[in-house]
């Protein structure tokens, strides 16, 4: 098996925005009104392909990797809130020379889009929010205590099994650590290509995924829909865990429309159509590009035979260790080459190369 995923849906670029290196993808019609897309956590702009392709028919579409996710550097603030990510989006739009844009947000991205519209209403022409979180006080405390986990690299590669299992559990239960029938999600098994992309996004983000997730959990979702001024569509798929949150919104502003959807393609068409009705403005020029981040060097000819249980990660790990042992010239060099952090960085580079972020 030589499973791959699409290498993104648009042209990749990098800019310095708010003192943070920010990765983005761009597609669609040059000179058309801009639509900016915000993904959920812990993913990247690659997750936005379906909506991006629809919007690209009429818009200049830009999807960014949230700071700390994908290939974007974390924010410099030590413990950022949702408002910090909104300010980063403002800085990103300035760098991209976008004065006013239509915004699409999925889950975490939806919260950021709402925070942005509250702080900078003049910069948003409309919001299309695809799953919007309104946590209870109990859920917030529970999630902050249990949801956010990290797995330090271990010499034997056992952390890789934990990472794979964590990602698999998230498609079975919500929240992922609540293994009860009540938390079970009746979702079909996604194709291997999608699971590999999610694995890649987790690996490339590393511990950087924690901050945007933490900010999203702390955010009070009931604040915003009651007062937002720009045209706003808030909806969720019936099987989305956040569909239940629509009933928690209470009174909403006249600018807000709330919907529930049963069919995904129709939902995406509706979200795109809503933004088509409320376009922003074209960009005023091109941004000043920045250098992309570099991945660790990796040996050539490593195994790449993805499977549905994650065992291939241990194959890569063992090959990396064998190569390290073979290349070492003395004990100090051997210890350095076998450092789990170094091996993990090489494994991340291998996965990235085969999933659209490098040369395979």
């Amino acid at each position: 098996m030589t499973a791959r995923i699409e290498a993104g849906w648009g042209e990749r670029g990098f800019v310095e925005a708010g003192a943070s290196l920010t990765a983005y993808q761009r597609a669609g019609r040059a000179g058309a009104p801009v639509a900016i897309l915000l993904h959920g956590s812990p993913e990247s702009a690659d997750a936005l392909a379906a909506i991006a392709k629809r919007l690209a028919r009429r818009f200049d579409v830009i999807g960014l990797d949230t700071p700390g996710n994908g290939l974007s550097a974390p924010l410099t603030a030590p413990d950022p809130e949702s408002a910090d990510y909104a300010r980063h989006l403002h800085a990103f739009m300035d760098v991209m020379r976008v004065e006013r844009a239509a915004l699409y947000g999925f889950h975490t991205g939806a919260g950021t889009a709402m925070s942005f519209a509250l702080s900078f209403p003049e910069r948003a022409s409309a919001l299309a929010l695809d799953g919007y979180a309104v946590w209870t006080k109990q859920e917030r405390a529970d999630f902050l205590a249990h949801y956010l986990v990290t797995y330090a690299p271990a010499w034997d590669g056992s952390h890789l099994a934990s990472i794979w299992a964590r990602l698999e559990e998230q498609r079975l239960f919500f929240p992922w650590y609540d293994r009860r029938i009540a938390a079970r999600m009746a979702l079909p098994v996604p194709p291997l290509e999608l699971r590999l992309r999610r694995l890649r996004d987790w690996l490339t983000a590393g511990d950087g995924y924690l901050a945007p997730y933490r900010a999203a959990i702390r955010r009070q979702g009931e604040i915003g829909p009651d007062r937002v001024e720009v045209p706003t569509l808030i909806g969720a798929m019936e099987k989305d865990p956040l569909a239940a949150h629509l009933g928690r919104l209470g009174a909403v502003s006249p600018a807000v429309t709330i919907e529930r959807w049963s069919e995904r393609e129709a939902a995406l068409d509706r979200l795109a159509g809503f933004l088509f009705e409320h376009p922003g403005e074209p960009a005023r020029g091109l941004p000043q590009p920045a250098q992309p981040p570099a991945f660790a060097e990796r040996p050539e000819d490593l195994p790449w035979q993805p499977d549905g249980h994650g065992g291939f990660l241990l194959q890569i790990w063992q090959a990396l260790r064998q190569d390290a042992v073979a290349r070492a010239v003395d004990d100090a060099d051997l210890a350095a080459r076998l450092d789990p952090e170094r091996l993990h960085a090489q494994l991340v580079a291998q996965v990235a190369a085969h999933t659209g972020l490098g040369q395979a």
Side-chain angles (χ1 to χ4, degrees):
M1 178 182 291
T2 56
R4 283 180 175 273
I5 63 172
E6 292 185 21
W9 48 263
E11 182 179 355
R12 295 188 188 276
F14 299 84
V15 293
E16 293 287 346
S20 295
L21 181 69
T22 302
Y24 67 89
Q25 294 186 53
R26 191 169 194 170
R29 298 174 51 199
V34 171
I36 293 181
L37 316 183
L38 306 171
H39 62 80
S41 294
E43 297 193 297
S44 70
D46 275 4
L48 300 164
I51 188 68
K53 290 175 181 177
R54 283 170 167 78
L55 292 173
R57 300 167 190 163
R58 302 188 194 178
F59 282 133
D60 176 3
V61 182
I62 303 172
L64 66 149
D65 291 353
T66 299
N69 286 326
L71 296 180
S72 290
L75 294 183
T76 55
D79 192 20
E81 299 289 352
S82 182
D84 294 303
Y85 291 94
R87 283 189 285 270
H88 171 268
L89 177 56
H90 185 273
F92 176 77
M93 288 176 63
D94 284 348
V95 171
M96 299 298 290
R97 306 192 68 184
V98 176
E99 185 63 29
R100 189 165 175 263
L103 301 181
Y104 165 89
F106 180 81
H107 283 213
T108 304
T112 299
M114 180 60 76
S115 293
F116 179 87
L118 294 180
S119 296
F120 311 103
E122 73 284 355
R123 304 294 294 271
S125 62
L127 306 181
L129 308 184
D130 190 355
Y132 180 79
V134 184
W135 307 115
T136 66
K137 185 178 295 186
Q138 178 60 45
E139 287 171 339
R140 185 173 294 113
D142 192 50
F143 278 35
L144 290 173
H146 303 293
Y147 203 92
L148 306 175
V149 295
T150 59
Y151 304 98
W155 73 271
D156 58 359
S158 55
H159 66 289
L160 300 171
S162 296
I163 290 172
W164 183 270
R166 161 66 177 81
L167 293 173
E168 290 293 282
E169 209 74 345
Q170 184 161 316
R171 69 174 178 81
L172 298 175
F173 299 99
F174 184 81
W176 67 270
Y177 53 84
D178 185 356
R179 298 173 185 89
R180 298 177 300 120
I181 292 295
R184 183 175 61 185
M185 295 193 293
L187 300 176
V189 178
L192 181 57
E193 291 79 6
L194 176 56
R195 293 156 78 187
L196 290 175
R197 195 262 296 158
R198 289 172 175 167
L199 170 69
R200 181 207 68 195
D201 287 349
W202 180 288
L203 291 174
T204 54
D207 292 354
Y209 95 94
L210 295 170
Y213 239 148
R214 189 180 295 116
I217 294 169
R218 286 197 299 244
R219 186 179 181 278
Q220 294 179 283
E222 62 274 18
I223 299 176
D226 60 336
R227 65 194 69 175
V228 67
E229 299 174 358
V230 304
T232 299
L233 172 62
I234 303 177
M237 298 298 298
E238 290 177 347
K239 293 185 178 181
D240 186 334
L242 297 187
H245 292 214
L246 297 178
R248 302 175 181 180
L249 289 173
V252 298
S253 88
V256 174
T257 300
I258 300 173
E259 298 180 356
R260 288 173 174 79
W261 309 304
S262 59
E263 202 278 316
R264 188 58 182 163
E265 295 301 312
L268 291 170
D269 288 341
R270 168 62 174 142
L271 288 157
F274 182 80
L275 294 184
F276 290 151
E277 295 172 3
H278 306 283
E281 300 173 12
R284 293 176 284 109
L286 296 175
Q288 181 66 36
Q291 288 295 112
F295 284 104
E297 293 185 7
R298 60 188 177 87
E300 298 297 327
D301 301 322
L302 291 175
W304 181 254
Q305 296 178 309
D307 52 59
H309 50 73
F312 75 100
L313 293 172
L314 285 178
Q315 286 186 303
I316 299 173
W317 188 264
Q318 291 167 357
L320 287 169
R321 283 180 54 83
Q322 291 170 4
D323 182 83
V325 171
R327 291 175 182 269
V329 297
D330 55 35
D331 286 343
D333 186 38
L334 177 60
R337 289 178 181 273
L338 289 178
D339 177 69
E341 294 282 353
R342 178 173 176 174
L343 292 173
H344 185 78
Q346 292 175 333
L347 181 138
V348 172
Q350 171 78 350
V351 174
H354 282 275
T355 53
L357 290 181
Q359 298 299 316

